[in-house]
Amino acid sequence: MSTVLGDGYRDWLPVVNLESHGNSDLVAHFYRRAFTLLRKSGSFGLIATNTIYQGDTRSTGLRFICENGGNIYNAQKRLKWPGLAAVVVSVVNIIKGDYRGIKLLDGHEVDLISAFLFKSGGNRNPAVLLANADKSFQGSIVLGMGFTFDDSNPDATSIAEMHRLIEKNPKNAELIFPYIGGEEVNTSPAHAHHRYVNNFGEMTENEAKQYSDLYAIVKEKVFPERKNKPGSYSRQWWLFGRRNQEGNKAIAPLERVLVTNAQASTHLSFIFYSPNVVFANSLNIFPFQTYSSFTVLQSRIHEVFARFLSSSIKDDLRYNPSDCFETFPFPENWETDPTLEAIGKEYYEYRAALMVRNNQGLTDTYNRFHDPDEYDPEILKLRELHTTMDKAVLDAYGWSDIPTDCDFILDYEEEEDTENSNGRQKKKPWRYRWCEEIHDEVLARLLDLNQKRAEAEILGGKGADKSKTKGNTKKTRKTGKPTTNNTATIPGLTESQTN
């Protein structure tokens, strides 16, 4: 908004629309304005981006309206836009005051439509749980491709030059780290990195100059674009744009950490990765090492919660930990549950081997997973393992009454025989998932459990101590002062990666 309309307009919106969030999409402010203009018993309906019931946009718009005399009486959550734009829209109709007529949610008669466009529950945002504090952080914002060694980017330095500099002076290897982002995690069968990054950590400029070869590269490639930027971006141009030493401390003692994509992605998937790298800001990092943590986060229980609370582009997920991790109520004793540990290990190792055998990354593997025309026995087994994993998580919550049966269901309706820009037939947005009734029941229980945990934490009960993880550390961004070593190898590489 500030880019197109100016900082003044952006700053004016929260003044006229109280309780609005700076990260809200503009559409929420149209809803707020329309609601303000209504007389009592007046109504309006607007076509919106489907973020209207998600995250900060929901909180700014529909939440405020529903808590201040508005009633949603008709809503369609996901409609494929019929025009050229590849977006999913929502339609919401609101009346100011009481409403005694029929309420329709996606064409079905319901008693209530919440700000979440949900048929039950309240309008309040899920509470951030103390038990989940300081257990997630975003990767580093490098702010300058001149820091990197990458043969695919003309703004970077070549890999051959990196090796030449290490051979010239083995000390240079102390500050060169593997650099991994969302693309490598999602497309490489083994999540192999192909880039490296020059990381001065928290060094002063004089300290950085001691590595004269690397300093010279950054001075040439980064300084010109950073010198006119505000604040520390220009004053400390030889350092990454966003960093926090606490993030490095969080994962330094660990053998592995959980990682997932921070940007819009079709599928929600988690992997383990060595912490001896620099993670890009396109990744979220969690200081967890156990398979039980993987089991809970990779399960459909967490996925429906994450998709419900995170914002999206089209129907892709943008996983924001503040929305869907910090508020997520884990099952009790999940860290020490041997069943969760065992099924997580079996699922993870099977999926990893499957990707390597097929030379397919996470995206391609889960595309096949959700394809109703895919009958490969290995994919069928992966689906079975996922269902087993879901059942184990539901049992951990004590919700064994919830069935785990899945079917291929469209995420949204799309016209028949549509083609993409290349003239090829487009695949419909099928997803192998629970039916809406199970989906809504799990969500309702999770939202209710979130409120109970939050209340327990406020009262100083056990909820504040639940779900603590060993090695609990501050939420931050990866990069700290690099550990010095006296070898000419690249930090963080296994023997196979080095080969």
Side-chain angles (χ1 to χ4, degrees), residues 64-138:
F64 181 90
I65 290 171
C66 289
E67 291 182 351
N68 288 273
N71 269 289
I72 302 172
Y73 63 88
N74 180 68
Q76 293 170 282
K77 293 165 65 174
R78 293 187 296 269
L79 290 174
K80 176 69 172 63
W81 182 246
L84 295 177
V87 296
V88 179
V89 299
S90 301
V91 179
V92 182
N93 298 84
I94 297 171
I95 187 171
K96 180 178 280 189
D98 294 334
Y99 180 78
R100 301 181 184 276
I102 295 174
K103 294 182 178 180
L104 295 175
L105 178 61
D106 290 328
H108 301 288
E109 187 172 339
V110 294
D111 295 327
L112 174 149
I113 303 176
S114 72
F116 295 92
L117 300 191
F118 197 49
K119 67 179 181 180
S120 62
N123 302 303
R124 286 190 299 168
N125 298 328
V128 171
L129 300 175
L130 297 177
N132 295 352
D134 305 329
K135 294 179 181 178
S136 62
F137 59 94
Q138 187 184 23

Side-chain angles (χ1 to χ4, degrees), residues 303-316:
E303 181 176 4
V304 298
F305 190 82
R307 287 186 179 277
F308 188 63
L309 294 173
S310 292
S311 59
S312 62
I313 298 175
K314 296 185 294 185
D315 237 28
D316 291 348

Side-chain angles (χ1 to χ4, degrees), residues 50-51 53-55 78 88 186 260-270 282 284 286 297-300 302-321 323-325 411-412 431:
N50 67 328
T51 58
Y53 61 92
Q54 300 170 349
R78 293 187 296 269
V88 179
N186 287 329
T260 192
N261 205 330
Q263 297 179 334
S265 180
T266 304
H267 311 295
L268 177 61
S269 51
F270 292 80
S282 55
N284 294 310
F286 308 85
L297 292 176
Q298 188 64 70
S299 71
R300 288 188 178 92
H302 181 63
E303 181 176 4
V304 298
F305 190 82
R307 287 186 179 277
F308 188 63
L309 294 173
S310 292
S311 59
S312 62
I313 298 175
K314 296 185 294 185
D315 237 28
D316 291 348
L317 170 71
R318 286 189 301 198
Y319 191 99
N320 186 342
D323 289 329
C324 55
F325 174 81
D411 275 344
Y412 53 85
R431 190 172 296 279

Side-chain angles (χ1 to χ4, degrees), residues 276-434:
N276 300 317
V277 302
V278 171
F279 294 107
N281 67 308
S282 55
L283 294 173
N284 294 310
I285 300 93
F286 308 85
F288 297 144
Q289 300 188 88
T290 63
Y291 284 111
S292 60
S293 61
F294 168 79
T295 300
V296 177
L297 292 176
Q298 188 64 70
S299 71
R300 288 188 178 92
I301 293 84
H302 181 63
E303 181 176 4
V304 298
F305 190 82
R307 287 186 179 277
F308 188 63
L309 294 173
S310 292
S311 59
S312 62
I313 298 175
K314 296 185 294 185
D315 237 28
D316 291 348
L317 170 71
R318 286 189 301 198
Y319 191 99
N320 186 342
S322 64
D323 289 329
C324 55
F325 174 81
E326 294 178 10
T327 59
F328 181 70
F330 283 83
E332 293 190 32
N333 304 315
W334 59 278
E335 294 173 287
T336 56
D337 189 316
T339 302
L340 296 180
E341 187 73 12
I343 183 56
K345 184 175 188 292
E346 183 181 6
Y347 182 98
Y348 190 91
E349 291 179 349
Y350 179 82
R351 186 186 70 178
L354 175 66
M355 290 191 295
V356 172
R357 281 198 302 273
N358 294 332
N359 193 31
Q360 292 180 320
L362 285 168
T363 298
D364 289 339
T365 299
Y366 280 110
N367 282 344
R368 296 177 65 194
F369 181 96
H370 292 288
D371 186 349
D373 296 322
E374 179 62 70
Y375 298 103
D376 187 288
E378 292 186 323
I379 298 298
L380 296 181
K381 182 177 180 180
L382 185 63
R383 292 172 185 159
E384 292 174 1
L385 287 174
H386 207 112
T387 298
T388 303
M389 187 167 62
D390 292 339
K391 186 178 187 307
V393 176
L394 288 171
D395 289 346
Y397 280 103
W399 299 341
S400 301
D401 59 306
I402 296 178
T404 56
D405 299 332
C406 291
D407 202 353
F408 294 98
I409 302 172
L410 287 172
D411 275 344
Y412 53 85
E413 293 296 332
E414 189 159 31
E415 294 179 4
E416 297 286 345
D417 301 325
T418 55
E419 295 182 349
N420 60 22
S421 58
N422 297 321
R424 296 178 180 176
Q425 187 80 12
K426 288 173 61 177
K427 284 186 174 292
K428 282 196 168 189
W430 293 105
R431 190 172 296 279
Y432 187 63
R433 60 181 177 90
W434 292 329

